[in-house]
Amino acid sequence: MSDRSTRVLLIEDNPGDADLIRLRLVESSSPVDVSCARRLSEGLESISQMRPSVVLLDLNLPDSQGAETFRKVLAKAPDVPVVILSGQDDEALAIKALHQGAQDYLVKGAFGRGELDRAMRHAMERQALLRSLDMSRKQQLEFKNRFLSHVSHELRTPLTCIHQFVTILLDGLAGEINPEQREHLNTVFRSVNQLGAMVRDLLEASRAESGKIRIERRCVSISDLMHAAVGMMQAIADDKGVGLEMSVDGDIPYVHGDPDRILEVLINLIDNGIKFTPENGKVTVQAARVQADPDFVFVSVVDTGCGISPESRSLIFERLYQESGAIDDGRKGLGLGLYISKELVDLHGGQLWVASEPGQGSTFSFTLPLYQLEKLLAPVITSEGRLRSNLMLIRVDLRPNAQPPRATWKEVCRECLELLSHCVQPDRDLVLPPMAAAGAEQSFFIAASTDAAGAEVMAARIREQMEKMPELAASGTANASAFPVSIAEVDSSSPLSQKVQAVAARMSTMMRNSSTVAARHK
Amino acid sequence: MQQKILIVDDDPDIRQALKLRLRANHFDTVHAVDGYSAIAQAYKEHPDLIILDLGLPAGDGYVVLDRLQRDDRLSNIPVVVLTARDPQSSELRAVRAGAAAFFQKPADNVELLAVIRATLPRVPQPVPLPS
């Protein structure tokens, strides 16, 4: 097979049609290699083996009919141009395939050699053009992200300088300053902090766009995060004379999410609320469960501000959109906050939306999935829909000897989790999301479908792997121990969901009773 | 005796600002402007702690960390990294290379000083000169 010849894959079940087309192809002016398939399954196999330059596809085959046939070919080889071979009575089907991405169609029995040649050539040309367009789009995006990350890096040095010298002046390290000078310097200080936040948002938004934001899911108390966010924003609200309150349902369950990212969303929404609410107004943060959606927690930030017009409501989550009317010193942000928040909530599998009327205030709400052990336990259920007969809970404790910064421990915990996920069998065992904020003295849990002996082997392997981690070798230790989860006590006649619930409840108790976790949850 | 901090940064204004801030907090300071002079200064001045930028001419911050780690006379000097670089891509690498702490610029002074104080060895240990 020469490199320059066109490799044609003909998928056609009618032998008469197939022979005719093959004849036309052989007569063709340019060199052609033809392979034939009579069934879609054969055709799909040939696609992966011969990597055709173009596919000629009959839509009605013994093992697949109509639009479905093209969809399957497209799924298998999105980059290969496809020309549909249609009968005279099903042209409509071929046209539908064009809309879905087929490059051309020919009506069988109604085309000559030249038309077949031309259709194939144009199909390949157009596909190549599409590919290069797609490539340049990707390059552009890549360039933009690199540019943004470069700019935000370069901006940090002068920013640091201003920050440093302003604080030197404010702290009186260069001599006494009078009250008026202090006021001016405080203005500079506020502005430089604002600039710093913008630089951070720039980088974050470009990361969101290129899918590079990482979230580290844990078992998180949403009310703790709301307390933290309200605590951090209280001073700003007080400054503006805006009330800041929170209300949480007493029995709000834990959510499954990244605490730092959720805090970021809360702060962003509260900050917006304060910005658009006049003096003596109020911003309220609420969390509740809703009957209609029992797997999620609803969090809302309600303000009594100027509200959002219906036209703006669909725009505010766009990048760089800026709403006018902030009750502020007229200063705007970059218009990235809501965009980033929405991306972060999306990454958690939740939704973020707004309800508002002009003059009536706004309510920004988002949902976060609950931390539900029984939902996570799928790998310990067999394909026959039964609980596995053996189940062990393996606990891995990290203990630092030194005290490195918090952010570093977050990274170490992330690496540990990744390492643990390599130590387990994907469809039988499960690395459970951590129960506490990332920090020193972290405990991880694995639900393993094995017996006591198997769990000991697994624990030993984990210990050995952990010892290879440079951070732990340098400044900490890891210990892994296994505990049986008794399934025998679960009533064997009850339905599977109840059994899983009972096991999940037992595991939760065991995890919470573990001393480190209990200490961290205080 | 005042404890001595080596400031390594290629930006003169940032060196100056750090010097003022540290001296006001009763530290003695010396400085270096690139990777090469950072190592030379570490041998010559036996600092109690090093504040290190990562983006440096003549051997970047990682090279400096590596050199410090390799020499028993220098490996016990704690290093606080202070850089404009993104922690997501740099922090773990810096800590693995031997940094005791990592700050992204602009860093909060109170936090930076607290970490410096916590990281400094209790009893200053003189570093012998290279033979």
Side-chain angles (χ1 to χ4, degrees):
Chain A
M1 187 166 37
S2 105
D3 270 355
R4 274 178 303 143
S5 63
T6 309
R7 294 184 307 280
V8 181
L9 174 63
L10 173 63
I11 309 177
E12 166 67 81
D13 64 324
N14 182 323
D17 286 342
D19 284 344
L20 193 67
I21 291 165
R22 207 193 329 227
L23 197 65
R24 290 267 154 77
L25 286 170
V26 174
E27 288 170 352
S28 160
S29 48
S30 52
V32 174
D33 276 315
V34 195
S35 300
C36 292
R38 297 212 164 160
R39 303 172 66 89
L40 181 65
S41 53
E42 260 175 69
L44 293 179
E45 204 167 300
S46 299
I47 287 177
S48 34
Q49 277 168 16
M50 69 178 277
R51 304 172 140 274
S53 351
V54 58
V55 173
L56 301 178
L57 179 68
D58 180 7
L59 291 177
N60 291 319
L61 298 166
D63 53 345
S64 176
Q65 274 85 43
E68 189 57 26
T69 309
F70 174 66
R71 268 202 293 279
K72 282 177 183 160
V73 171
L74 187 70
K76 182 84 181 178
D79 287 341
V80 178
V82 177
V83 176
I84 303 290
L85 301 169
S86 114
Q88 274 163 343
D89 48 350
D90 57 5
E91 239 183 290
L93 211 56
I95 291 170
K96 200 172 153 198
L98 280 190
H99 291 307
Q100 289 169 347
Q103 285 297 357
D104 206 345
Y105 75 96
L106 292 165
V107 179
K108 281 187 274 191
F111 59 88
R113 190 186 75 196
E115 278 154 274
L116 177 60
D117 256 6
R118 216 162 31 238
M120 289 195 326
R121 189 157 307 151
H122 284 169
M124 288 187 283
E125 290 289 333
R126 275 193 298 263
Q127 193 75 29
L129 201 66
L130 274 181
R131 224 184 344 240
S132 76
L133 262 178
D134 190 47
M135 196 108 82
S136 68
R137 238 201 314 270
K138 275 185 192 141
Q139 274 168 353
Q140 247 170 27
L141 189 67
E142 173 65 28
F143 172 78
K144 193 181 74 181
N145 288 336
R146 246 187 321 166
F147 173 75
L148 282 177
S149 121
H150 176 77
V151 165
S152 54
H153 173 251
E154 291 303 316
L155 287 175
R156 279 184 185 280
T157 301
L159 203 62
T160 303
C161 240
I162 304 171
H163 184 268
Q164 282 292 346
F165 281 101
V166 168
T167 51
I168 282 170
L169 292 176
L170 273 172
D171 293 349
L173 302 186
E176 287 290 306
I177 50 172
N178 67 37
E180 195 189 341
Q181 288 165 334
R182 176 169 298 279
E183 201 187 312
H184 297 332
L185 284 169
N186 271 323
T187 309
V188 180
F189 186 62
R190 266 199 309 277
S191 298
V192 79
N193 283 340
Q194 218 171 4
L195 204 54
M198 286 182 191
V199 168
R200 201 179 48 237
D201 280 359
L202 260 183
L203 195 63
E204 190 84 339
S206 93
R207 262 195 212 130
E209 199 181 23
S210 51
K212 281 186 188 149
I213 289 190
R214 273 202 307 250
I215 61 166
E216 320 278 336
R217 287 169 166 243
R218 308 182 153 261
C219 171
V220 191
S221 155
I222 187 71
S223 58
D224 284 0
L225 291 177
M226 287 163 65
H227 274 293
V230 166
M232 287 163 81
M233 299 306 287
Q234 194 69 58
I236 295 174
D238 291 348
D239 268 2
K240 299 230 156 120
V242 172
L244 181 55
E245 295 170 7
M246 69 175 269
S247 81
V248 193
D249 280 6
D251 56 344
I252 203 95
Y254 289 104
V255 298
H256 187 204
D258 183 328
D260 294 342
R261 298 307 197 171
I262 298 171
L263 190 65
E264 204 177 321
V265 174
L266 280 169
I267 285 176
N268 199 347
L269 295 181
I270 295 171
D271 189 39
N272 267 346
I274 296 171
K275 210 181 276 178
F276 290 96
T277 299
E279 206 177 333
N280 299 325
K282 196 171 76 175
V283 173
T284 313
V285 193
Q286 303 165 335
R289 281 184 85 175
V290 172
Q291 290 266 305
D293 218 348
D295 295 341
F296 289 85
V297 162
F298 280 63
V299 186
S300 309
V301 177
V302 186
D303 66 52
T304 60
C306 53
I308 303 164
S309 67
E311 308 86 69
S312 302
R313 263 189 310 238
S314 56
L315 296 173
I316 52 173
F317 296 106
E318 300 280 320
R319 267 168 307 154
L320 305 178
Y321 180 80
Q322 291 168 319
E323 178 74 15
S324 50
I327 316 292
D328 208 43
D329 40 7
R331 184 134 354 129
K332 292 171 182 171
L334 278 176
L336 291 172
L338 283 175
Y339 168 74
I340 295 169
S341 298
K342 192 170 177 8
E343 290 290 320
L344 289 177
V345 172
D346 280 354
L347 279 173
H348 281 88
Q351 281 183 306
L352 169 62
W353 71 94
V354 63
S356 177
E357 287 302 328
Q360 306 285 310
S362 311
T363 300
F364 283 87
S365 309
F366 61 96
T367 52
L368 290 171
L370 295 183
Y371 175 86
Q372 285 167 306
L373 205 49
E374 59 268 39
K375 284 256 158 74
L376 297 168
L377 282 176
V380 303
I381 297 166
T382 65
S383 52
E384 293 91 46
R386 290 210 308 267
L387 267 175
R388 293 193 191 276
S389 50
N390 284 311
L391 197 56
M392 297 291 290
L393 192 66
I394 297 175
R395 190 173 118 195
V396 181
D397 295 322
L398 297 189
R399 288 184 200 288
N401 301 328
Q403 190 62 306
R406 195 189 81 92
T408 306
W409 270 101
K410 194 178 169 189
E411 277 292 302
V412 173
C413 291
R414 191 181 66 77
E415 299 236 324
C416 281
L417 271 174
E418 205 179 305
L419 196 143
L420 289 179
S421 70
H422 292 304
C423 292
V424 305
Q425 288 197 48
D427 47 352
R428 294 172 59 89
D429 311 327
L430 168 73
V431 180
L432 296 163
M435 300 287 289
E441 305 216 1
Q442 182 91 149
S443 292
F444 302 106
F445 293 90
I446 294 170
S449 308
T450 181
D451 55 12
E456 270 314 314
V457 172
M458 193 189 249
R461 203 167 65 217
I462 290 169
R463 278 193 293 269
E464 190 186 317
Q465 292 290 320
M466 290 282 177
E467 274 160 23
K468 288 185 195 154
M469 278 186 63
E471 292 71 32
L472 289 176
S475 61
T477 53
N479 186 38
S481 37
F483 310 92
V485 181
S486 165
I487 300 178
E489 292 166 31
V490 180
D491 179 7
S492 59
S493 63
S494 56
L496 180 67
S497 62
Q498 275 180 29
K499 284 186 217 165
V500 174
Q501 245 170 30
V503 169
R506 177 169 292 278
M507 275 190 168
S508 287
T509 321
M510 289 169 76
M511 288 160 80
R512 284 191 202 293
N513 284 347
S514 132
S515 55
T516 27
V517 173
R520 294 238 135 234
H521 263 292
K522 266 181 227 158
Chain B
M1 198 180 91
Q2 280 190 337
Q3 287 179 300
K4 193 191 286 177
I5 296 180
L6 169 59
I7 302 165
V8 187
D9 202 305
D10 57 335
D11 188 296
D13 298 330
I14 287 179
R15 285 199 304 273
Q16 174 68 9
L18 283 172
K19 179 178 138 186
L20 286 172
R21 175 65 59 182
L22 291 169
R23 294 213 163 157
N25 284 278
H26 316 293
F27 292 108
D28 189 11
T29 62
V30 285
H31 72 257
V33 299
D34 57 30
Y36 178 81
S37 59
I39 299 292
Q41 284 286 68
Y43 278 120
K44 183 169 158 246
E45 299 283 348
H46 344 133
D48 297 289
L49 183 140
I50 300 174
I51 296 180
L52 180 67
D53 190 12
L54 287 180
L56 291 171
D60 72 3
Y62 296 116
V63 175
V64 175
L65 280 166
D66 187 53
R67 284 293 309 277
L68 294 172
Q69 286 296 306
R70 277 159 190 268
D71 193 324
D72 288 345
R73 288 165 295 185
L74 305 179
S75 62
N76 59 346
I77 306 174
V79 179
V80 174
V81 166
L82 178 62
T83 178
R85 291 195 189 166
D86 181 12
Q88 192 169 309
S89 54
S90 311
E91 175 162 4
L92 196 57
R93 191 176 160 202
V95 171
R96 285 212 167 131
F102 183 102
F103 282 93
Q104 190 183 23
K105 291 175 184 172
D108 181 67
N109 286 313
V110 178
E111 220 179 307
L112 181 65
L113 282 164
V115 168
I116 286 174
R117 289 207 176 92
T119 315
L120 272 165
R122 295 275 174 269
V123 185
Q125 292 171 358
V127 181
L129 278 166
S131 47

